[in-house]
Amino acid sequence: MKISKAMELVEPQLTKERYEHSLRVAKTARYLAKLYDGPEEKAELAGVLHDYAKYRSLEKMAEEIKTFNLPADLLDFHSELWHAPIGAILVEEECGLKDEDIQYAIRYHTTGRANMSKLEKIIFLADYIEPGRNFPGIEEVREVAETNLEYACWLAVRNTINYLISKRAKVYPDTFHAYNDLSKHINGGNE
Ligand SMILES: [Fe+2]
Ligand SMILES: [Fe+2]
């Protein structure tokens, strides 16, 4: 699928702000792919598409978690997590994009998981550091993203877990799995 086609399909699904965020994620993802010898075109496409399901109604998404046979435990966690796995399926069902690498990158862009592919890491990180984002600790992640993809992802996951805990919110297990898995890549895995 061409980027222009993906943009055309995504734009009506999102608010103007979210659409612009998606374009910044695409640009950042392409930059990271080039930097880390990843698939640049897939990174850009996944960036454009990653929030495709962001504004689906909660009712519809709760239903789709069941009809698409997604993990039922998603329903016990914040609905903010739902758009990622649902979007991964809808880009195929509604947009005709069948590309496992891109679909996995969309699926895990919010929670992360253990054993993320390079493309999954790139989209996870691009969504976190795109230039429109602004929250405590982001400058450190942006800086590390220039030299160490795994460590930057680890920082982003750690910050996310810390944030959720400070809000007394639950943490989806895949996010802990991402944290533990990425810990292998820092300080010789002894952390
Ligand atoms: Fe998202
Ligand atoms: Fe996003």
Side-chain angles (χ1 to χ4, degrees), residues 18 21 50-51 127 133:
R18 181 61 48 174
H21 156 77
H50 82 285
D51 274 340
D127 190 34
R133 299 285 204 199

Side-chain angles (χ1 to χ4, degrees), residues 51 53-63 65 73-87 109-111 164 169-170 172:
D51 274 340
K54 187 80 179 178
Y55 296 105
R56 282 312 248 204
S57 80
L58 293 184
E59 258 182 14
K60 203 163 189 183
M61 286 199 288
E63 217 173 87
I65 285 172
D73 67 349
L74 281 166
L75 294 167
D76 301 328
F77 287 82
H78 201 287
S79 54
E80 167 65 20
L81 303 184
W82 302 352
H83 73 287
I86 289 172
H109 83 262
T110 310
T111 58
L164 290 169
K170 291 195 281 188
Y172 194 67

Side-chain angles (χ1 to χ4, degrees), residues 80-94:
E80 167 65 20
L81 303 184
W82 302 352
H83 73 287
I86 289 172
I89 293 170
L90 292 182
V91 294
E92 183 172 345
E93 296 230 328
E94 295 184 357

Side-chain angles (χ1 to χ4, degrees), residues 32 35-38 113-126 128-129 140-141 143-159 177-189:
L32 291 171
L35 194 61
Y36 292 105
D37 200 21
R113 65 161 174 160
N115 297 312
M116 283 194 277
S117 69
K118 194 186 280 184
L119 184 61
E120 287 172 56
K121 288 174 193 158
I122 285 169
I123 296 302
F124 179 84
L125 187 58
Y128 192 86
I129 64 168
E140 184 190 11
V141 186
E143 211 178 296
V144 173
E146 296 293 326
T147 55
N148 190 328
L149 180 63
E150 274 76 27
Y151 185 33
C153 286
W154 180 86
L155 283 170
V157 173
R158 183 203 64 180
N159 291 355
H177 295 152
Y179 175 84
N180 291 333
D181 178 52
L182 290 161
S183 297
K184 288 189 306 215
H185 299 285
I186 57 164
N187 298 330

